[in-house]
């Protein structure tokens, strides 16, 4: 059986995520799979049998601890993905400015014109 | 080795008051050189009408840092076949009349010449004491990593580079205050480095952009860069001549 409160919380989180995507505030391909995985993990972890099975699979005696560790791993992965994407964006920005500088300096005459 | 084409690069951020005087001096002392002014996204408006000399100008859309401006200058020097790149500040603290000395030292089978500031340590204030300690630390760390002795003033922005040094340094994205990085890259790339002693002039206007926060950031970035350079390494570059 699933916990109703957890299901409502997950549902609200999905709605929030969809609104963020609709408002074009997030690049869906970037973080969406990770967030989706977090929601699924949140929903299934309200089931005691899943927690026990998951803990057994990881070899951890305390069930909830296994879920927390899995969640921390997902958060860590999403941080790394974001870090890579921010670095890419920054490098692209610098590359564009360098390209503009090359073009502008080659085309412009010496001052004073 | 003869150097026909010299590019003098001046990065500036909200520091235009001394530029007319610097441009006038450069045009007088090195009339055949090309002067490149890169405005690092200043909030103040650059007024070209106040400068009577001949120069090239580019404005970076937002403030990114001297290192990025240095990369742009390196791109320009490499693309247009310059033999030498001289870098100096826009605050008129670097002596323009010492540029020929930098260049003549570069001709002595050298890749990078640093103008070390002879009178930079004369100030007895506490902040100057910390600056000197950090400068000494940068120098020691860089020497230890590169296993060669380097310039005693690794924070000096007054320098001249030949094409080999430009190529080696332009492989990296330089930080906001890139001088310790440049020393590290040059020494790790086994470039021949020399230093000449200069007397830094007094600043007539404004203040240095390196405050305590910027100094801490610079310190942090320097160590991150050490980690990066140790992981990635440097590529040994060969001097190549460009026909233009």
């Amino acid at each position: 059986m699933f916990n109703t409160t957890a299901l409502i919380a997950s549902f609200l989180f999905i709605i929030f995520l969809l609104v963020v995507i609709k408002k074009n505030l997030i690049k869906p391909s970037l973080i969406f799979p990770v967030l989706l995985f977090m929601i699924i993990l949140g929903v299934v972890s309200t089931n005691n049998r899943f927690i026990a099975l998951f803990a057994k699979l990881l070899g951890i005696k305390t069930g909830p601890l296994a879920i927390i560790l899995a969640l921390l791993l997902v958060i860590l992965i999403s941080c790394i993905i974001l870090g890579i994407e921010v670095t890419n964006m920054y490098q692209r920005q610098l590359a564009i400015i360098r390209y503009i500088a090359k073009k502008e300096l080659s085309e412009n005459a010496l001052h004073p014109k | 080795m003869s150097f026909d084409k010299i590019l003098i690069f001046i990065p500036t951020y909200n520091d235009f008051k001394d530029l007319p005087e610097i441009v006038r001096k450069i045009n007088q002392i090195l009339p055949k050189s090309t002067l490149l002014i890169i405005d690092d996204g200043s909030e103040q408006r650059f007024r070209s009408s106040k400068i009577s000399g001949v120069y090239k100008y580019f404005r970076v859309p937002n403030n990114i840092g001297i290192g990025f401006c240095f990369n742009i200058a390196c791109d320009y020097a490499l693309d247009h076949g310059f033999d030498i790149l001289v870098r100096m500040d826009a605050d008129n603290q670097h002596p323009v009349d010492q540029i020929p000395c930098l260049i003549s030292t570069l001709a002595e089978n050298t890749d990078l010449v640093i103008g070390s500031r002879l009178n930079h340590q004369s100030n007895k204030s506490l902040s100057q004491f910390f600056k000197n300690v950090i400068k000494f630390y940068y120098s020691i760390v860089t020497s230890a990593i590169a296993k060669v002795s380097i310039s005693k003033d690794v924070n000096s922005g007054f320098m001249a580079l030949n094409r080999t040094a430009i190529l080696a340094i332009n492989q990296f994205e330089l930080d906001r205050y890139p001088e310790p990085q440049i020393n590290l890259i040059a020494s790790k790339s086994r470039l021949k480095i020399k230093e000449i002693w200069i007397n830094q002039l007094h600043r007539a206007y404004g203040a240095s952009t390196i405050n305590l926060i910027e100094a801490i950031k610079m310190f942090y970035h320097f160590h991150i860069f050490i980690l990066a350079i140790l992981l990635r390494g440097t590529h040994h570059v060969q001097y190549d001549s460009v026909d233009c």
Side-chain angles (χ1 to χ4, degrees):
Chain A
M1 290 296 287
F2 293 105
N3 184 310
T4 320
T5 319
L7 282 175
I8 292 168
S10 298
F11 181 69
L12 288 174
F13 190 65
I14 291 168
I15 297 222
F16 169 71
L17 197 61
L18 291 173
V19 169
V20 168
I21 292 168
K22 192 176 181 299
K23 295 270 180 193
N24 209 13
L25 296 173
I26 196 167
K27 195 177 158 194
S29 61
L30 175 68
I31 205 86
F32 194 75
V34 178
L35 291 175
L36 198 67
F37 182 75
M38 277 167 80
I39 291 166
I40 293 168
L41 188 72
V43 172
V44 294
S45 63
T46 58
N47 185 301
N48 287 335
R49 278 208 316 210
F50 171 78
I51 295 171
L53 189 74
F54 192 62
K56 196 179 166 188
L57 201 72
L58 295 179
I60 297 169
K61 282 183 185 173
T62 321
L65 192 65
I67 300 295
I68 290 168
L69 287 174
L71 202 64
L72 283 177
L73 182 72
V74 174
I75 291 169
L76 191 70
I77 290 168
S78 55
C79 283
I80 292 169
I81 292 172
L82 280 175
I84 292 169
E85 195 61 24
V86 167
T87 307
N88 280 342
M89 238 165 59
Y90 182 68
Q91 282 174 338
R92 276 202 295 271
Q93 185 200 9
L94 296 189
I96 291 166
I97 301 172
R98 275 174 88 162
Y99 174 75
I100 293 168
K102 273 186 183 190
K103 216 168 152 50
E104 203 173 295
L105 285 169
S106 296
E107 286 169 2
N108 284 4
L110 287 166
H111 288 267
K113 289 168 191 167
Chain B
M1 187 183 284
S2 68
F3 299 117
D4 298 325
K5 291 187 81 179
I6 299 164
L7 178 67
I8 299 172
F9 149 63
I10 306 174
T12 181
Y13 176 64
N14 290 334
D15 211 351
F16 302 124
K17 284 180 179 162
D18 288 306
L19 277 177
E21 175 65 7
I22 297 171
V23 173
R24 188 193 62 77
K25 279 188 200 168
I26 291 172
N27 281 182
Q28 191 185 354
I29 295 170
L30 293 152
K32 286 184 179 173
S33 65
T34 304
L35 179 56
L36 171 63
I37 298 170
I38 300 183
D39 177 358
D40 188 20
S42 298
E43 287 120 33
Q44 293 168 18
R45 199 162 155 260
F46 175 73
R47 293 177 197 280
S48 57
S49 57
K50 289 193 172 179
I51 301 176
S52 59
V54 180
Y55 61 95
K56 280 250 176 191
Y57 173 80
F58 178 72
R59 185 182 186 276
V60 180
N62 44 6
N63 179 241
I64 297 177
I66 295 171
F68 183 63
C69 297
F70 203 105
N71 282 130
I72 292 176
C74 288
D75 286 342
Y76 186 72
L78 292 170
D79 288 352
H80 294 82
F82 284 95
D83 297 312
I84 296 180
L85 173 65
V86 176
R87 180 261 199 257
M88 62 180 296
D89 284 350
D91 54 12
N92 208 12
Q93 285 193 289
H94 292 152
V96 177
D97 54 1
Q98 290 282 312
I99 296 176
C101 185
L102 278 181
I103 293 168
S104 61
T105 311
L106 203 63
E108 296 165 8
N109 197 24
T110 307
D111 300 308
L112 170 68
V113 182
I114 308 279
S116 295
R117 293 161 293 182
L118 198 61
N119 54 339
H120 195 233
Q121 299 171 5
S122 55
N123 186 341
K124 302 283 180 201
S125 68
L126 189 66
S127 65
Q128 188 59 52
F129 171 75
F130 282 117
K131 278 180 189 172
N132 292 340
V133 169
I134 288 173
K135 201 159 73 174
F136 180 68
Y137 172 78
Y138 283 155
S139 187
I140 292 285
V141 170
T142 309
S143 299
I145 289 169
K147 298 184 182 72
V148 288
S149 86
I150 60 147
S151 158
K152 287 172 187 68
D153 190 3
V154 292
N155 285 351
S156 174
F158 190 50
M159 59 181 77
L161 307 85
N162 67 9
R163 281 186 72 85
T164 309
I166 298 169
L167 274 166
I169 287 158
N170 205 32
Q171 291 174 75
F172 293 86
E173 271 172 18
L174 300 171
D175 278 339
R176 183 163 283 272
Y177 299 105
E179 291 80 17
Q181 269 187 334
I182 289 170
N183 275 278
L184 190 58
I185 298 166
S187 46
K188 276 291 278 179
S189 305
R190 296 282 175 264
L191 299 182
K192 292 177 193 81
I193 307 169
K194 277 187 185 170
E195 65 184 329
I196 62 160
W197 292 102
I198 59 157
N199 269 309
Q200 183 169 269
L201 310 170
H202 288 289
R203 182 192 287 270
Y205 308 100
S208 170
T209 53
I210 307 176
N211 52 28
L212 181 67
I213 302 291
E214 288 298 336
I216 292 168
K217 277 158 76 176
M218 190 177 168
F219 194 73
Y220 165 75
H221 284 292
F222 177 69
H223 291 89
I224 295 294
F225 187 73
I226 288 174
L227 188 68
I229 209 168
L230 288 175
L231 286 171
R232 295 176 196 157
T234 52
H235 305 291
H236 290 261
V237 288
Q238 296 294 318
Y239 181 85
D240 67 337
S241 59
V242 173
D243 299 321
C244 294

